[in-house]
Amino acid sequence: MGPEQPIFSTRAHVFQIDPSTKKNWVPTSKHAVTVSYFYDSTRTVYRIISLDGSKAIINSTITPNMSFTKTSHKFGQWADSRANTVYGLGFSSEAHLSKFADKFAEFKEAARLAKERSQEKMELTSTPSQESATGELQSPVTPESINGTDERVTPDAAFNTEINAVLFPHSSTSISKHWEAELATLKGNNAKLTAALLESTANVKQWKQQLAAYQDEAERLHKRVTELECVSGQTAGVKTQKTELNQTIEELEAELKAREEELENLKQEVEEASQLQTQKDSLAQKLQETELRSAELESQLLDLEQRLENSQLESESFRRSLRSLLELLDGKIFELSELRDSLAKLMESDSS
């Protein structure tokens, strides 16, 4: 048998705090799993371990600074500064929760005593110089100090959040914020594309001017080549000049082709900018519709609250009327009882 053995086990649903919000609970098991306390006799350490299949979803070493908190009659939580998280357990009954909490307190105290014994052994074996160099101990890290918050998250709040997410998956507020973010992004992109479009338009005009100049220069060079070819008795220098002119023409044609490709790319960017503008208009329309829907829902909510208040008032009025009727009925019953007694006495006197 190994040095680490389970000393107490139970079953519970395991949760961890959402690391991004530090408020909502995230389930780490699809169903209830076994949660066990382990004791390592070699290192004198108590740990809480839970496995979901072959995956360890809890591996928490109990320290004297930890505390287990009951946040409801079936839910408890504790913070683990080493794992930089908060664990939550949902039990099937309050008795299971209480048993787990009692074991936590018991093993926490055992861990504290083991730590004190270890410190005493270290103090006995350490030299005076080492003791003087030790300095003051740092204040312990409490569960509430993890990530700079002492806010305890109850499963009820997380449950309500999840219920709202299920019942109202398209909540007007969240949709409005989403579309507003999308609209802001599109506005930024549209501004960048507009600036790029203006710059591209200026470049296109410049390139058109250069293109016209290149075409004029090419035509002039062609004419010059033709004139040189017509001249009889061409010299070697003329042939060299012709070759250079032909090379220049080829370079100009290559540059002209490159300019045309750039112009085509600019046209595509302009089309994309137009599509983005259409998307922005569509999102603005959806945002407006969402705001109108939100206002309508708020109006319906106010109407329902008013109806509820009127219903409560009517119910209270009915209870008062019913109470008055019962009092009146009690009085009538009392009067009938007195009348019966009087009639009984009258009959007895007549018979005597």
Side-chain angles (χ1 to χ4, degrees):
M1 297 178 64
E4 192 170 28
Q5 300 296 329
I7 52 180
F8 176 78
S9 297
T10 186
R11 292 185 66 82
H13 291 271
V14 179
F15 300 84
Q16 279 192 23
I17 202 71
D18 189 342
S20 58
T21 64
K22 300 297 181 183
K23 293 183 178 181
N24 299 327
W25 288 109
V26 178
T28 55
S29 63
K30 296 181 180 179
H31 47 76
V33 295
T34 301
V35 182
S36 302
Y37 286 98
F38 279 78
Y39 176 63
D40 188 344
S41 58
T42 303
R43 298 186 300 161
T44 318
V45 170
Y46 293 87
R47 292 197 300 162
I48 302 174
I49 298 177
S50 179
L51 300 177
D52 187 6
S54 59
K55 179 183 177 182
I57 56 178
I58 299 179
N59 187 1
S60 178
T61 301
I62 299 176
T63 65
N65 298 325
M66 287 184 177
S67 62
F68 184 83
T69 306
K70 298 179 182 179
T71 57
S72 69
H73 66 286
K74 291 184 181 180
F75 193 90
Q77 67 184 52
W78 78 96
D80 189 337
S81 58
R82 295 183 180 179
N84 193 27
T85 189
V86 180
Y87 293 105
L89 295 179
F91 295 89
S92 59
S93 66
E94 187 173 2
H96 287 87
L97 170 61
S98 299
K99 185 67 173 178
F100 187 90
D102 293 341
K103 290 294 182 181
F104 193 100
E106 176 186 344
F107 299 142
K108 170 186 172 182
E109 179 65 16
R112 184 187 67 80
L113 295 175
K115 182 178 180 180
E116 290 180 355
R117 287 195 295 267
S118 176
Q119 289 178 348
E120 290 175 357
K121 290 180 181 179
M122 292 177 62
E123 291 173 356
L124 291 174
T125 57
S126 62
T127 62
S129 60
Q130 290 174 333
E131 291 176 357
S132 61
T134 302
E136 295 181 355
L137 293 175
Q138 296 180 352
S139 59
V141 179
T142 62
E144 291 79 4
S145 65
I146 293 178
N147 300 314
T149 179
D150 59 353
E151 182 177 0
R152 293 174 181 170
V153 181
T154 64
D156 297 333
F159 179 75
N160 291 334
T161 303
E162 294 173 0
I163 290 297
N164 289 333
V166 173
L167 294 179
F168 305 103
H170 302 290
S171 173
S172 60
T173 303
S174 61
I175 293 176
S176 297
K177 292 181 178 178
H178 170 74
W179 289 125
E180 286 173 358
E182 290 288 340
L183 184 60
T185 303
L186 285 174
K187 284 182 178 178
N189 293 337
N190 185 53
K192 293 179 182 178
L193 288 173
T194 302
L197 181 61
L198 293 175
E199 183 180 358
S200 300
T201 304
N203 291 334
V204 168
K205 291 181 180 178
Q206 183 180 359
W207 291 338
K208 285 182 177 180
Q209 293 174 357
Q210 291 179 357
L211 179 61
Y214 291 152
Q215 289 175 343
D216 294 338
E217 180 68 13
E219 184 177 356
R220 187 184 67 80
L221 290 174
H222 277 296
K223 289 180 179 180
R224 179 62 179 166
V225 170
T226 304
E227 291 174 359
L228 290 175
E229 288 177 347
C230 294
V231 176
S232 59
Q234 294 178 343
T235 62
V238 172
K239 291 181 179 180
T240 303
Q241 185 178 8
K242 177 182 177 181
T243 303
E244 292 177 353
L245 289 173
N246 288 332
Q247 184 178 359
T248 303
I249 290 172
E250 291 176 356
E251 292 175 353
L252 289 173
E253 289 177 349
E255 187 173 357
L256 176 62
K257 184 177 180 181
R259 296 295 184 181
E260 289 176 350
E261 292 178 354
E262 291 181 1
L263 183 61
E264 186 66 25
N265 292 334
L266 288 175
K267 289 181 179 179
Q268 293 180 358
E269 291 181 359
V270 170
E271 292 177 357
E272 292 177 355
S274 177
Q275 293 177 358
L276 287 175
Q277 180 65 31
T278 303
Q279 292 179 0
K280 186 188 76 171
D281 295 339
S282 176
L283 288 174
Q285 180 65 27
K286 291 180 179 179
L287 178 60
Q288 184 178 4
E289 293 175 356
T290 302
E291 291 175 349
L292 292 175
R293 179 59 179 167
S294 177
E296 181 181 352
L297 290 173
E298 289 179 358
S299 176
Q300 293 178 0
L301 179 60
L302 292 175
D303 184 49
L304 288 174
E305 290 177 349
Q306 184 64 35
R307 291 182 182 178
L308 178 60
E309 184 178 355
N310 294 336
S311 177
Q312 290 176 346
L313 292 175
E314 292 176 358
S315 177
E316 184 64 25
S317 176
F318 177 74
R319 283 196 294 268
R320 286 198 299 266
S321 300
L322 185 60
R323 192 178 298 110
S324 300
L325 183 60
L326 289 174
E327 292 176 355
L328 180 62
L329 184 60
D330 289 339
K332 295 297 183 180
I333 291 173
F334 181 73
E335 291 177 358
L336 288 174
S337 177
E338 289 184 343
L339 179 60
R340 179 181 175 280
D341 294 339
S342 299
L343 290 174
K345 291 179 180 180
L346 182 60
M347 289 176 64
E348 288 177 358
S349 62
D350 290 340
S351 60
S352 62

